[in-house]
Amino acid sequence: MTATAFAPQDLAKRVSPGIAARNTLTLAWRNLVQIKHNPMELLDLSIQPIMFVLLFAYVFGPAMAGSVHAYLPIVIPGIIAQNALFAGMSTGFGLNTDITKGVFDRFRSLPISRSAPLAGRIIADTVKQAWSMLILLGVGFAIGFRVHTGVLSVLLAFLLLLTFALLFSWTSVYIAMKVNEPEKVQIFGFVVIFPLSFLSTAFIPTTKGIPGWLAFCMDNSPVTQLVASMRGLLVGGPVLEHAWIALAWGLGISLVFAPLSLRAYKKRA
């Protein structure tokens, strides 16, 4: 009678859905706990959003809307959306760091689900994005921003933002799988996210006075649609049409980059 030996990779493929879920939650917790050992990540999650709110509100507010108080209903949803997109880049940055430092090699030697490292990272970053949104709303309330809808609308705003950010984060996952340094993922974030967020109505109330071709691009930007629906949910206004368009953009992006990311992930992990 002979015993059958399984390689660690074979064991990883044979785990049950329940064990795979536990593996995912364990690695998600690992990614959250390690924040205390990485002060710079805590800075990105907390201090940077506060700095953005204060700078935009007090520097641009009087010029854009006549006063800080009048500008807050415009800028707070915009900064929340922009911050969520930048936070989505941290998914790719963290994945690439794990790969380049050999952490994924250690995961491969364990009898765990092969999808757990990726799924755990995504879940942890979703929690981080929710924390950043809470920070931004808290700072907004401290300087005069008020929600004019209700608790349910705020919860829906959270859900919409996290869903879009999750769909959009597949772009950073794909970049993380293709580059050999975490800093290159950050470069991608700055090259893509900054133009995408500023070429929108995230920080301006309207596109009137802007050249027609540019106004058309800004009005139909996925960030514009996301911010418009966030404003509707937080301070009142149309929501459903903008939300559907934003989610359609996010779904389209994920349909392109998710399969590419998973294919690249299988090759590297």
Side-chain angles (χ1 to χ4, degrees), residues 31-51:
N31 292 323
L32 291 173
V33 169
Q34 71 179 6
I35 293 177
K36 65 181 181 181
H37 303 298
N38 186 2
M40 290 304 297
E41 187 169 358
L42 186 61
L43 183 71
D44 290 340
L45 289 173
S46 303
I47 305 301
Q48 182 175 297
I50 295 174
M51 180 184 67

Side-chain angles (χ1 to χ4, degrees), residues 16-163:
S16 67
I19 294 177
R22 289 200 297 272
N23 295 156
T24 298
L25 293 177
T26 298
L27 292 178
W29 179 247
R30 163 203 174 251
N31 292 323
L32 291 173
V33 169
Q34 71 179 6
I35 293 177
K36 65 181 181 181
H37 303 298
N38 186 2
M40 290 304 297
E41 187 169 358
L42 186 61
L43 183 71
D44 290 340
L45 289 173
S46 303
I47 305 301
Q48 182 175 297
I50 295 174
M51 180 184 67
F52 266 59
V53 170
L54 297 178
L55 284 176
F56 274 87
Y58 287 100
V59 175
F60 295 107
M64 289 286 188
S67 69
V68 173
H69 183 75
Y71 190 51
L72 290 177
I74 298 170
V75 73
I76 294 297
I79 292 181
I80 288 174
Q82 183 196 52
N83 189 74
L85 296 181
F86 273 113
M89 292 298 104
S90 67
T91 302
F93 183 87
L95 283 172
N96 190 269
T97 300
D98 285 345
I99 291 172
T100 54
K101 289 187 175 182
V103 177
F104 265 44
D105 291 335
R106 292 195 289 272
F107 287 152
R108 291 178 63 188
S109 67
L110 300 174
I112 63 173
S113 169
R114 298 189 69 178
S115 63
L118 176 59
R121 170 66 62 177
I122 291 174
I123 291 174
D125 288 335
T126 301
V127 175
K128 295 174 187 177
Q129 289 168 1
W131 167 255
S132 294
M133 184 175 178
L134 283 173
I135 291 289
L136 289 168
L137 282 177
V139 175
F141 270 101
I143 61 176
F145 175 76
R146 294 295 180 266
V147 174
H148 299 299
T149 51
V151 175
L152 178 60
S153 293
V154 174
L155 293 176
L156 289 175
F158 265 90
L159 181 61
L160 173 63
L161 183 76
L162 295 178
T163 301

